[in-house]
């Protein structure tokens, strides 16, 4: 019996070496990369890439592999890269060249623009050597063509019956959204017939082999809601890894039906993204209730909120800084994604304050930033450090669901496990407002705001209050006793006697740090300082 058990254990250990489950991904933090835009080979012209031109700029799997320190040093534990399959290779189209990797021709071949099979394997191996995961974007719903009756001889599926016949999508009609063709008539996206058994067999065999050959840990699935839902359990079971789907829908009910045994492990959290835009962008409706309401809806409708993918930017939505110029708006909203339920995802360039609007302007090359150590990158690093520490040191932090403590027009206070987060949408200019909340903590509990390393005591009846008389800065409170060994605010090593209190502010002067951000200049902000947090009596 014992023999049998240890054999089982050995087998399951072997499996997890080559494929990561939803439960493992829950604990990760993802950096999203457009392969063509992350890094250039040595000696390349650093000034030649203009996103408006929709052309290849020169990033490859190799250049990602050679520049992983930037991502790992920021505390990320996984990357998500562009689709790896062969793309359209003909003349330039009205929408440029397929630098983004989404214009699939033959899914079963690799995209030679991004490197060789050995290069992709080397990237995967290097990530695993660093303890990081590889997520690959896959496009199953469609291929790409230039007309409605394409020559099929260069595709993985060469029989007309393996595609749905051409029809433009009638939005709001589910059958049409799933069977008609995305794209337009200049660049068509022929819809693969994922109900056809020969397609199902070929796709499942392909994904199984791809995942195994390159030790892929997880899949991001493009246009998932444009495929018949019952295709996904078969596909993802064959892949044997976590599958997170793009379901581009702000409605929680509509979107979350794609999460669960009947569909996918998880979806990218477009409903919460929309709520965060409603709540935090300046200018904007600044409707904080949208977030509270969405937390409640997700608790009710998600099969597991802690598996959803949280983001503020991606290749299809405008950069946050093009929606909202005040940097505090970005920082407060970003913290929501790390400190609430779900897997945080940062789209490359967000940490550099990029502000491209819609596609293609939101796909800027990263290298002109010189990979600078910006205020936002430092915040991301701190958030990853805290989140990784909480996951490592606490059995259930990541699976404990968020609870809203209070919410006003100006902000929200919530708790996940032991951590209390207070966020505001007032932006950088000071206002005579505050947010208070009752916590379960006894008034003897001392907490540290890990963003400023200031200590705060909890007031009577567990009350806390954050005042914004110096601007709308976020606050993340962790009980001091929970910070030992975290590497945060002077809590360096488990063996060192804890050094609470006297550590001061590792961020240094908030004025100095924030004034280095170009965005701060853009809005001509005057006063930045840590919020005063006082114990209410
Ligand atoms: C929905 O779309 C399908 C596929 O194009 C079509 O056959 C059907 O008539 C449409 N339904 C309605 C109500 O328009
Ligand atoms: C704010 O959001 C809530 C919840 O989504 C919604 O019910 C309400 O109508 C919104 N208020 C405004 C002014 O848009
Ligand atoms: C970025 O700057 C912060 C604050 O000065 C520093 O602690 C951190 O080590 C720097 N990170 C990198 C990658 O240089
Ligand atoms: C978490 O624990 C793992 C395994 O012990 C270790 O490799 C990793 O460095 C830890 N990460 C952090 C952020 O503490
Ligand atoms: C702030 O608001 C409170 C209550 O609305 C008021 O009593 C106080 O005088 C205000 N303080 C300032 C500096 O405006
Ligand atoms: C004490 O806190 C609880 C919530 O934790 C709240 O319901 C109650 O009203 C508070 N009592 C006082 C006196 O503030």
């Amino acid at each position: 019996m014992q023999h049998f058990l240890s054999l089982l254990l050995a087998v399951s250990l072997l499996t997890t070496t080559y494929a990561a489950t939803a439960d493992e991904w829950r604990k990760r933090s993802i950096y999203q990369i457009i392969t063509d835009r992350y890094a250039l080979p040595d000696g390349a012209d650093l000034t030649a890439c203009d996103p408006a031109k929709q052309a290849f700029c020169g990033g490859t799997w190799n250049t990602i592999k050679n520049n992983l320190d930037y991502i790992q040093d920021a505390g990320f534990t996984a990357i998500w890269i562009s689709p790896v399959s062969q793309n359209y290779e003909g003349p330039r189209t009205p929408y440029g060249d397929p630098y983004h990797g989404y214009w699939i021709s033959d899914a079963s071949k690799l995209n030679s623009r991004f490197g060789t099979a050995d290069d992709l394997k080397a990237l995967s191996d290097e990530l695993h050597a660093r303890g990081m995961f590889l997520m690959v974007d896959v496009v199953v719903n469609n291929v790409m063509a230039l007309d409605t009756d394409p020559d099929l001889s260069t595709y993985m599926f060469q029989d007309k019956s393996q595609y749905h016949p051409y029809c433009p999508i009638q939005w709001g009609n589910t059958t049409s959204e799933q069977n008609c063709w995305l794209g337009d008539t200049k660049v068509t996206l022929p819809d693969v017939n994922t109900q056809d058994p020969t397609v199902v067999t070929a796709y499942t065999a392909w994904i199984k082999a791809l995942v195994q050959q390159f030790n892929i840990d997880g899949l991001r699935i493009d246009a998932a809601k444009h495929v018949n839902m019952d295709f996904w359990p078969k596909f993802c079971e064959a892949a044997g890894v976590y599958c997170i789907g793009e379901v581009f829908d702000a409605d929680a009910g509509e979107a979350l039906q794609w999460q669960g045994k009947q569909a996918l492990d998880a979806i990218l959290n477009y409903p919460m993204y929309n709520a965060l835009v409603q709540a935090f962008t300046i200018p904007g409706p600044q409707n904080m209730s949208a977030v509270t309401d969405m937390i409640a809806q997700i608790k009710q409708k998600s099969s597991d909120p802690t598996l959803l993918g949280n983001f503020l930017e991606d290749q299809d939505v405008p950069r946050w800084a093009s929606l909202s110029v005040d940097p505090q708006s970005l920082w407060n909203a970003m913290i929501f994604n790390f400190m609430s339920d779900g897997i945080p995802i940062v789209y490359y360039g967000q940490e550099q304050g990029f502000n491209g609007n819609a596609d293609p302007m939101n796909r800027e090359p990263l290298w002109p930033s010189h990979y600078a150590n910006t205020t936002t990158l430092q915040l991301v690093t701190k958030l990853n450090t805290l989140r990784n520490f909480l996951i490592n040191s606490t059995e259930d932090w990541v699976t404990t669901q968020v609870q809203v403590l209070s919410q006003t027009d100006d902000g929200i206070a919530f708790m996940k496990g032991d951590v209390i987060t207070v966020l505001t949408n007032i932006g950088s200019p000071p206002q005579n407002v505050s947010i208070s909340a009752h916590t379960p903590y006894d008034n003897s509990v001392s907490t540290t705001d890990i963003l400023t390393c200031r200590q705060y005591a909890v007031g009577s009846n567990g009350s806390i209050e954050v005042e914004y008389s110096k601007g709308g800065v976020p606050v993340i409170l962790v009980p001091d006793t929970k910070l030992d060994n975290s590497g945060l605010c002077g809590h360096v090593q488990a063996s060192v006697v804890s050094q609470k209190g006297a550590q001061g502010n590792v961020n240094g002067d908030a004025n100095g740090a924030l004034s280095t951000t170009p965005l701060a200049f853009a809005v001509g902000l005057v006063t930045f300082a840590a919020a005063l947090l006082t114990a209410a009596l």
Side-chain angles (χ1 to χ4, degrees):
M1 185 64 189
Q2 196 152 25
H3 223 82
F4 178 65
L5 274 181
S6 55
L7 185 73
L8 264 183
L9 206 84
V11 170
S12 72
L13 281 177
L14 267 182
T15 324
T16 55
T17 309
Y18 297 108
T21 61
D23 192 49
E24 291 167 286
W25 274 96
R26 190 192 330 268
K27 301 173 181 160
R28 297 281 157 163
S29 168
I30 303 172
Y31 187 78
Q32 183 197 347
I33 291 173
I34 292 200
T35 300
D36 183 60
R37 299 289 159 90
Y38 175 67
L40 283 181
D42 289 342
D45 178 358
L46 298 177
T47 64
C49 182
D50 174 0
K53 292 197 171 132
Q54 299 177 293
F56 283 98
C57 287
T60 64
W61 298 319
N62 258 330
T63 64
I64 297 173
K65 185 194 75 184
N66 293 337
N67 292 280
L68 286 173
D69 284 351
Y70 173 74
I71 301 169
Q72 191 177 24
D73 287 350
F76 291 101
T77 48
I79 64 169
W80 149 16
I81 61 172
S82 307
V84 299
S85 291
Q86 187 184 75
N87 271 225
Y88 166 79
E89 283 172 349
R92 202 173 147 77
T93 79
Y95 306 124
D97 298 320
Y99 66 92
H100 41 70
Y102 290 99
W103 287 351
I104 306 300
S105 57
D106 187 343
S108 70
K109 298 200 177 90
L110 288 181
N111 188 340
S112 58
R113 298 295 304 231
F114 298 151
T116 65
D118 283 348
D119 295 341
L120 183 55
K121 186 62 172 46
L123 171 60
S124 175
D125 288 349
E126 179 60 29
L127 285 162
H128 293 145
R130 291 166 182 258
M132 297 169 75
F133 281 175
L134 173 62
M135 175 177 283
V136 168
D137 208 325
V138 295
V139 186
V140 164
N141 174 65
N142 56 268
V143 293
M144 177 274 193
L146 294 177
D147 59 71
T148 56
D149 186 21
D151 168 12
L152 300 173
S153 63
T154 59
Y155 296 118
M156 176 169 164
F157 298 111
Q158 302 185 349
D159 191 314
K160 220 170 173 162
S161 69
Q162 293 172 309
Y163 298 83
H164 290 119
Y166 172 75
C167 45
I169 287 183
Q170 202 187 333
W171 292 96
N173 173 342
T174 304
T175 313
S176 173
E177 288 182 12
Q178 293 183 4
N179 294 353
C180 292
W181 294 17
L182 288 168
D184 57 23
T185 49
K186 289 187 224 161
V187 171
T188 61
L189 300 176
D191 198 80
V192 178
N193 182 355
T194 41
Q195 286 111 338
D196 180 326
T198 67
V199 168
V200 175
T201 304
Y203 261 156
T204 51
W206 162 67
I207 198 64
K208 186 172 182 191
L210 184 80
V211 163
Q212 284 180 354
Q213 187 183 355
F214 298 106
N215 290 350
I216 294 166
D217 302 291
L219 302 177
R220 181 272 185 186
I221 291 173
D222 192 57
K225 71 167 183 172
H226 294 282
V227 172
N228 47 302
M229 195 180 280
D230 64 343
F231 174 84
W232 294 124
K234 292 174 267 189
F235 183 80
C236 293
E237 192 192 325
V241 293
Y242 172 71
C243 283
I244 184 167
E246 177 202 21
V247 178
F248 201 102
D249 198 323
D251 183 89
E254 290 292 324
L256 288 166
Q257 58 177 319
W258 292 87
Q259 185 193 22
K261 286 190 178 65
Q262 75 291 354
L264 298 156
D265 289 319
I267 59 169
L268 291 161
N269 202 344
Y270 279 95
M272 186 57 87
Y273 162 73
N274 185 61
L276 294 171
V277 170
Q278 298 295 310
F280 286 100
T281 56
I282 306 172
Q286 292 178 271
N287 182 2
M288 254 317 152
S289 313
V291 171
T292 311
D293 177 58
M294 191 52 70
I295 291 173
Q297 284 200 57
I298 287 173
K299 275 182 194 292
Q300 199 190 358
K301 294 168 183 163
S302 168
S303 59
D304 189 341
T306 69
L307 290 177
L308 299 172
N310 300 340
F311 64 94
L312 294 183
E313 298 180 3
D314 66 24
Q315 75 284 3
D316 293 325
V317 300
R319 297 275 191 185
W320 190 269
S322 80
L323 300 175
S324 186
V325 288
D326 189 315
Q328 287 296 358
S329 144
L330 172 69
W331 296 331
N332 277 274
M334 187 187 283
I335 290 172
F336 182 88
N337 282 347
F338 280 82
M339 289 295 117
S340 65
D341 299 337
I343 303 168
I345 303 173
V346 172
Y347 180 54
Y348 84 100
Q350 183 180 316
E351 77 285 4
Q352 294 293 340
F354 283 6
N355 63 3
N357 193 345
D359 169 11
M361 301 314 290
N362 56 358
R363 295 146 180 217
E364 305 94 320
L366 186 57
W367 43 90
S369 72
H370 304 292
Y371 309 89
N373 193 358
T374 61
T375 306
T376 305
L377 180 61
Q378 289 171 41
L379 174 62
V380 166
T381 308
K382 202 170 253 196
L383 293 172
N384 273 326
T385 304
L386 175 62
R387 188 173 180 277
N388 292 340
F389 165 72
L390 291 166
I391 287 166
N392 260 13
S393 64
T394 319
E395 181 91 30
D396 59 357
W397 184 82
V398 80
T399 49
T400 303
Q401 290 189 24
V402 71
Q403 301 294 332
V404 175
L405 300 177
S406 69
Q407 180 247 305
T408 69
D409 285 351
D410 303 312
I412 185 169
F414 60 86
M415 187 157 186
K416 181 175 171 74
D418 295 317
V419 182
I420 294 165
T421 302
V422 187
L423 303 175
T424 178
N425 60 1
I426 67 167
S428 302
Q431 284 189 33
N432 183 17
V433 294
S434 65
I435 297 178
S436 51
H438 288 292
T439 74
Y441 291 136
D442 187 88
N443 66 359
S444 63
V445 171
S446 175
T447 66
T448 296
D449 169 19
I450 67 107
L451 299 173
T452 58
C453 294
R454 291 179 194 201
Q455 275 198 301
Y456 298 102
V458 173
S460 64
N461 197 23
S463 60
I464 57 162
E465 182 175 13
V466 180
E467 292 179 355
Y468 297 110
S469 56
K470 296 192 177 168
V473 303
V475 167
I476 302 174
L477 299 176
V478 185
D480 289 347
T481 52
K482 306 286 181 178
L483 277 173
D484 286 345
N485 203 25
S486 66
L488 287 161
C489 299
H491 296 262
V492 188
Q493 294 167 342
S495 55
V496 173
V497 178
S498 90
Q499 305 168 341
K500 290 169 217 160
Q503 296 307 305
N505 181 347
V506 298
N507 254 349
D509 171 34
N511 272 302
L514 291 171
S515 64
T516 61
T517 306
L519 286 171
F521 292 124
V523 289
L525 299 166
V526 203
T527 317
F528 291 93
L532 296 177
L533 190 131
T534 53
L537 297 173

